[in-house]
């Protein structure tokens, strides 16, 4: 009975904490996501915005929070809580956001910008604790990610409340590793305990995926190099007055530097910013996605070079 009473006390404190703060936590999530999106815009500038995604956010399930508190108490990692503040102080991941990056260089650029911003006197968002870099120093399991706990100020009727928001920054493959190894099944407090076989295979998978991440970096760098040349390469624009026949192409993807479009015969080509800029009569840098939307049907002239297939619009709707 005594054990049950103590467990019930933890549950009661957790429920009280959620009643008191869940609204503030939701507000902190919005503020934190806006902050992270702003950093991503700064990092990517005129590059593909899909390379950084901070859309995955959650408030931890209260039952999982209670279980985590009980486990930490049992393992001596924290004293038995007597107030809601004890729990809020001890648990850093009650509110969390996952930032997914396409490649390690995107992760590195983003985390550097995040640390720089949060340590700047001009920034209202601070680091609650020093970041943990499990990319540079992977866990024994093979887990890789960058963890930062942000302190977000939320206005309440009782004044500003500091809310901790845990941010996990991972590449797509680092995130996939958790799913492929069933990491959730083997976390502390779970029913299954990792045996030697699981640990060995999980570490090997982590290393293989890390190698693939490095290869993805090389491909992304080459893609950036090639698309950056579209603005400067004379081959990126069809000659004025070209008499080449035109075809219809449907836009399938847009971005700052180029759009992708597919013709009725299934051939996919690049619509470079240079061609769009010529049509709108601008000599300054433009964002192609401001002029072309996915699904647009565009009349284009086709130009095929040794390195790419170009579609040059003759008009914009």
């Amino acid at each position: 009975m005594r054990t049950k009473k103590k467990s019930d006390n933890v549950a009661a404190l957790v429920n009280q904490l959620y009643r008191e703060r869940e609204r503030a936590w939701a507000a902190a999530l919005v503020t934190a996501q806006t902050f992270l999106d702003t950093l991503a815009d700064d990092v990517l500038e005129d590059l593909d915005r899909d390379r950084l995604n901070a859309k995955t956010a959650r408030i931890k399930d209260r039952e999982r929070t209670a279980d985590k508190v009980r486990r930490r108490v049992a393992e001596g990692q924290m004293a038995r809580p007597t107030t809601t503040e004890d729990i809020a102080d001890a648990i850093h991941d009650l509110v969390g956001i996952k930032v997914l990056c396409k490649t390690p260089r995107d992760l590195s650029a983003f985390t550097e910008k995040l640390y720089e911003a949060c340590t700047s006197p001009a920034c209202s968002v601070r680091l609650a604790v020093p970041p943990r870099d499990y990319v540079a120093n992977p866990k024994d399991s093979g887990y890789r990610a960058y963890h930062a706990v942000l302190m977000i100020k939320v206005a309440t009727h009782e004044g500003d409340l500091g809310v901790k928001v845990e941010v996990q920054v991972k590449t797509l493959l680092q995130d996939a590793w958790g799913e492929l190894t069933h990491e959730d099944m083997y976390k502390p407090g779970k029913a299954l305990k990792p045996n030697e076989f699981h640990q060995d295979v999980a570490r090997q998978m982590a290393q293989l995926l890390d190698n693939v991440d490095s290869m993805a970096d090389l491909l992304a760098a080459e893609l950036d190099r090639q698309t950056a040349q579209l603005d400067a390469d004379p081959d990126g624009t069809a000659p004025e007055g070209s008499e080449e026949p035109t075809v219809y192409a449907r836009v399938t993807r847009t971005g700052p530097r180029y759009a992708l479009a597919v013709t009725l015969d299934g051939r996919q080509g690049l619509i470079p910013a240079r061609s769009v800029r010529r049509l709108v009569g601008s000599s300054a840098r433009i964002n192609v996605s401001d002029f072309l939307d996915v699904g647009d049907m565009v009349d284009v002239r086709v130009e095929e070079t040794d390195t790419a297939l170009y579609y040059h619009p003759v008009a914009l709707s």
Side-chain angles (χ1 to χ4, degrees):
M1 290 295 294
R2 184 175 300 173
T3 300
K4 184 177 179 181
K5 184 176 180 181
K6 287 181 178 179
S7 296
D8 288 343
N9 181 58
V10 168
L13 286 174
V14 167
N15 285 332
Q16 181 183 345
L17 175 65
Y18 275 64
R19 285 194 301 270
E20 293 173 350
R21 303 197 182 183
E22 198 162 13
R23 188 183 297 273
W25 292 344
L29 271 181
V30 173
T31 300
Q33 284 185 294
T34 300
F35 171 69
L36 296 172
D37 280 337
T38 301
L39 295 183
D41 289 339
D42 288 344
V43 169
L44 295 176
E45 295 179 345
D46 61 345
L47 301 177
D48 183 359
R49 186 59 178 79
D50 289 339
R51 281 165 52 172
L52 291 170
N53 184 321
K55 293 183 175 62
T56 303
R58 61 102 183 103
I59 294 174
K60 198 178 191 73
D61 178 80
R62 64 181 66 194
E63 290 185 4
R64 290 185 62 190
T65 297
D67 287 342
K68 187 168 187 175
V69 171
R70 294 185 189 108
R71 176 172 56 81
R72 287 196 170 186
V73 170
E75 295 175 353
Q77 297 180 28
M78 65 178 286
R80 182 168 294 280
T82 58
T83 67
T84 57
E85 197 66 38
D86 291 339
I87 297 174
D89 286 342
I91 309 298
H92 293 167
D93 64 347
L94 293 170
V95 184
I97 298 174
K98 181 161 57 180
V99 179
L100 293 180
C101 312
K102 280 194 175 178
T103 67
R105 69 192 180 116
D106 293 330
L107 183 150
S108 178
F110 182 79
T111 54
E112 286 177 11
K113 177 67 72 172
L114 176 63
Y115 186 83
E116 176 187 333
C118 292
T119 54
S120 168
C123 185
S124 62
V125 177
R126 314 302 296 171
L127 292 170
V129 295
R132 291 170 291 172
D133 190 347
Y134 298 122
V135 177
N137 302 288
K139 291 185 178 182
D140 290 340
S141 64
Y143 177 85
R144 287 168 166 81
Y146 182 94
H147 289 202
V149 180
L150 309 183
M151 183 63 74
I152 305 291
K153 289 184 179 180
V154 176
T156 73
H157 68 284
E158 296 179 343
D160 286 347
L161 174 67
V163 175
K164 289 181 291 187
V165 178
E166 184 190 58
V167 177
Q168 296 183 3
V169 189
K170 304 177 180 182
T171 66
L172 294 171
L173 291 181
Q174 288 166 355
D175 188 55
W177 175 89
E179 296 292 327
L180 295 173
T181 60
H182 306 284
E183 181 197 17
D184 279 344
M185 297 287 288
Y186 294 92
K187 282 185 175 180
K190 298 297 183 180
L192 294 178
K193 297 181 180 180
N195 56 30
E196 184 176 345
F197 173 80
H198 177 274
Q199 291 172 327
D200 183 53
V201 172
R203 281 192 291 265
Q204 290 186 55
M205 289 173 62
Q207 187 57 59
L208 288 170
L209 291 173
D210 187 57
N211 291 340
V212 176
D213 255 341
S214 296
M215 295 166 69
D217 251 348
L218 294 175
L219 287 177
E222 175 62 14
L223 176 63
D224 279 351
R225 185 191 67 79
Q226 288 185 306
T227 54
Q229 287 180 343
L230 294 182
D231 275 352
D233 190 347
D235 289 338
T237 300
E240 287 285 353
S242 171
E243 297 302 324
E244 290 294 322
T246 62
V247 297
Y248 278 109
R250 178 175 56 84
V251 176
T252 59
R253 179 178 175 183
T254 62
R257 289 180 174 171
Y258 61 90
L260 292 177
V262 60
T263 54
L264 296 178
D265 61 2
R267 301 182 76 201
Q268 182 171 263
L270 284 164
I271 299 177
R274 185 182 179 95
S275 294
V276 177
R277 192 167 59 234
R278 174 175 56 82
L279 281 179
V280 299
S282 173
S283 59
R285 176 176 290 181
I286 63 166
N287 187 330
V288 173
S289 59
D290 289 340
F291 301 92
L292 292 172
D293 294 319
V294 172
D296 284 352
M297 292 299 295
V298 187
D299 195 16
V300 300
R301 287 195 174 91
V302 179
E303 178 192 11
E304 187 165 2
T305 71
D306 291 338
T307 59
L309 179 64
Y310 295 106
Y311 292 158
H312 305 291
V314 298
L316 296 174
S317 58

